[in-house]
């Protein structure tokens, strides 16, 4: 059975590889997704001991939650569900409504882990709504998290988490004495920003880290060259601002550094005779501060391939080589993990 790690100060012990459910339900970003395949891969994941399933109300306009709820029918008690509410829906009355609608779509009467998807500030909110009143008058953080505490007391949610929050924002919540068990953050060989400060801060506060985007949306699978990445997946600061569709960051990217790193990582995977996906996932999980990493699995074959990352025993010298190879990418992109905004004007601070 797959290894499980305790999520921060919570009582949740979750599999080190979790199921990212963004593509469930189908949508414009990831394309069509068969519910039959979702049912099969969810059940096989449970059979392997994978128990964490990560979704959000915004994923495919709620269809992701709906699809996951359908797939878990009859086996809900084996799963730990994490879902997220947008900051635009963090006013107390809206937050309660969002929670109840997620419960309905998921076909459950409780959510194991309920997270605020992005920090509650105008820059975050404007990506979830066009309503200028909401953007200019964001929800009060204290009121939002008091509502979450109330929902927890009512048994509708069991643990409160955050996603994509920085140290200053986490400190604000600590001052409000909010009981946060996790922060969900991007982490992979080409996205190492959280190593600079956030990992240490989370560890010191006993806050677990759920890592997402472990394969950098396909770049670390070996299936795509950097020039093959679609414009919709090239919006981050990894790429020149002219590459992505609706890119916001305005930066030059780190494409030269990434090309060099990918070439050397691929050479190492061949030298050590290990699949690039296995190598990339194993690297993430070699960091004991990462409770789980969530990976999208469209079918049973992808699930089996991803699970190899949890069982591969990475040699220390290989780990060191990978760190050295990707260090220039980290240095170029900097220490801010909001990869979609300019590093000097971003949602995480």
């Amino acid at each position: 059975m797959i290894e499980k790690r305790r999520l921060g100060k919570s009582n949740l012990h979750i599999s080190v590889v979790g199921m990212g459910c963004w593509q469930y339900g189908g949508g414009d970003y990831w394309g069509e997704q068969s519910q039959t395949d979702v049912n099969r891969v969810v059940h096989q994941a449970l059979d392997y001991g994978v128990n964490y399933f990560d979704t959000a109300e915004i994923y495919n306009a709620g269809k992701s939650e709906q699809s996951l709820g359908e797939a878990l029918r009859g086996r809900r008690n084996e799963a730990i569900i994490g879902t997220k509410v947008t900051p635009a829906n963090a006013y107390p009355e809206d937050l309660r409504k969002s929670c109840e609608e997620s419960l309905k779509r998921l076909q459950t009467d409780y959510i194991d882990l309920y997270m605020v998807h992005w920090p509650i500030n105008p820059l975050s909110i404007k990506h979830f709504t066009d309503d200028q009143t909401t953007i200019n008058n964001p929800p009060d953080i204290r009121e939002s998290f008091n509502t979450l505490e109330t929902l927890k007391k009512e048994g509708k949610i069991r643990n409160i988490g955050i996603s994509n929050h920085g140290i200053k924002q986490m400190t604000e919540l600590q001052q409000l004495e909010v009981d946060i068990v996790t922060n969900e953050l991007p982490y992979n060989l080409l996205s190492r920003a959280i190593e600079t400060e956030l990992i240490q801060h989370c560890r010191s506060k006993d806050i677990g880290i759920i890592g997402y985007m472990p394969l950098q949306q396909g770049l670390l699978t070996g299936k795509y060259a950097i020039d093959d990445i679609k414009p919709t997946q090239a919006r981050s600061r990894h790429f020149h601002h002219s590459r992505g569709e609706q890119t916001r960051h305005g930066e030059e990217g780190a494409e030269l550094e990434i090309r060099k790193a990918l070439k050397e990582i691929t050479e190492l995977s061949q030298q050590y005779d290990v699949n690039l996906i296995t190598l990339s996932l194993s690297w993430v999980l070699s960091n004991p501060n990462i409770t789980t990493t969530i990976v999208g699995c469209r079918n049973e074959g992808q699930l089996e391939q991803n699970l190899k990352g949890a069982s591969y025993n990475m040699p220390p010298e290989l780990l060191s080589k990978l760190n050295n190879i990707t260090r220039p990418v980290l240095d170029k992109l900097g220490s801010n993990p909001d990869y979609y905004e300019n590093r000097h004007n971003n949602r995480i601070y």
Side-chain angles (χ1 to χ4, degrees), residues 315-326:
E317 73 274 9
L318 176 55
L319 178 64
S320 179
K321 289 176 181 178
L322 289 169
N323 287 340
N324 291 335
I325 285 171
T326 57

Side-chain angles (χ1 to χ4, degrees), residues 7-120:
L7 184 65
K9 62 178 74 71
S10 77
N11 292 321
L12 300 177
H13 289 79
I14 63 180
S15 51
V16 292
V17 172
M19 299 289 283
C21 305
W22 187 351
Q23 72 272 23
Y24 291 7
D28 293 337
Y29 195 81
W30 293 115
E32 292 301 313
Q33 174 65 62
S34 161
Q35 184 62 39
T36 299
D37 284 341
V38 171
N39 293 344
R40 287 174 177 168
V41 77
V42 165
H43 282 262
Q44 184 165 2
L46 291 170
D47 291 342
Y48 280 129
V50 174
N51 67 349
Y52 182 63
F53 297 82
D54 189 277
T55 183
E57 66 174 3
I58 198 172
Y59 292 166
N60 304 322
K63 291 180 180 178
S64 170
E65 290 180 326
Q66 188 174 4
S67 175
L68 176 61
E70 180 66 26
L72 286 173
R73 288 180 64 183
R75 302 187 71 174
R76 168 67 181 95
N77 64 318
E78 300 175 54
I80 294 172
I81 297 176
T83 192
K84 298 177 281 289
V85 59
T86 74
N89 289 337
Y91 293 108
E93 61 276 14
D94 295 334
L95 203 160
R96 176 174 288 277
K97 179 182 178 183
S98 282
C99 180
E100 292 174 349
E101 289 178 346
S102 288
L103 287 166
K104 183 177 180 180
R105 286 190 292 265
L106 289 163
Q107 300 184 39
T108 184
D109 56 5
Y110 68 94
I111 295 168
D112 300 279
L113 177 62
Y114 199 49
M115 295 168 278
V116 178
H117 205 153
W118 284 89
I120 301 173

Side-chain angles (χ1 to χ4, degrees), residues 41-224:
V41 77
V42 165
H43 282 262
Q44 184 165 2
L46 291 170
D47 291 342
Y48 280 129
V50 174
N51 67 349
Y52 182 63
F53 297 82
D54 189 277
T55 183
E57 66 174 3
I58 198 172
Y59 292 166
N60 304 322
K63 291 180 180 178
S64 170
E65 290 180 326
Q66 188 174 4
S67 175
L68 176 61
E70 180 66 26
L72 286 173
R73 288 180 64 183
R75 302 187 71 174
R76 168 67 181 95
N77 64 318
E78 300 175 54
I80 294 172
I81 297 176
T83 192
K84 298 177 281 289
V85 59
T86 74
N89 289 337
Y91 293 108
E93 61 276 14
D94 295 334
L95 203 160
R96 176 174 288 277
K97 179 182 178 183
S98 282
C99 180
E100 292 174 349
E101 289 178 346
S102 288
L103 287 166
K104 183 177 180 180
R105 286 190 292 265
L106 289 163
Q107 300 184 39
T108 184
D109 56 5
Y110 68 94
I111 295 168
D112 300 279
L113 177 62
Y114 199 49
M115 295 168 278
V116 178
H117 205 153
W118 284 89
I120 301 173
N121 61 45
L123 187 55
S124 288
I125 291 171
K126 78 175 187 177
H127 297 304
F128 296 97
T129 181
D130 295 326
D131 182 57
Q132 285 299 319
T133 300
T134 302
I135 295 170
N136 296 332
N137 300 278
D140 179 80
I141 296 175
R142 182 186 296 273
E143 291 180 356
S144 298
F145 281 88
N146 282 346
T147 303
L148 290 172
E149 291 284 2
T150 300
L151 290 168
K152 182 179 176 182
K153 290 175 183 176
E154 293 174 0
K156 294 183 177 180
I157 62 177
R158 295 193 170 174
N159 295 275
I160 300 170
I162 51 178
S163 179
N164 300 302
H165 281 55
I167 290 178
K168 183 176 179 180
Q169 293 153 339
M170 294 173 71
T171 301
E172 290 173 351
L173 293 176
Q174 182 187 357
Q175 292 170 346
L176 296 176
E177 299 183 344
V178 179
D179 187 19
I180 298 296
V181 303
T182 192
N183 193 358
E184 186 171 303
L185 297 158
Y187 190 56
N188 62 60
L189 278 162
L190 304 176
S191 301
R192 295 173 54 187
I194 65 173
E195 291 180 7
T196 307
E197 296 179 302
L198 269 168
I199 285 179
Q200 172 60 33
H201 183 82
C202 288
R203 182 172 61 226
S204 70
K205 305 302 179 185
D206 200 12
I207 293 173
I209 295 176
I210 296 174
Y212 72 85
M213 206 165 62
L215 300 176
Q216 190 56 51
Q217 297 196 341
L219 262 184
L220 290 167
T221 64
K223 298 177 182 178
Y224 309 100

Side-chain angles (χ1 to χ4, degrees), residues 247-260:
T247 302
R248 303 188 298 264
H249 59 76
E251 296 192 19
E252 65 178 27
E255 295 189 32
L256 289 177
E257 292 81 0
I258 290 172
R259 288 179 194 275
K260 184 174 186 297

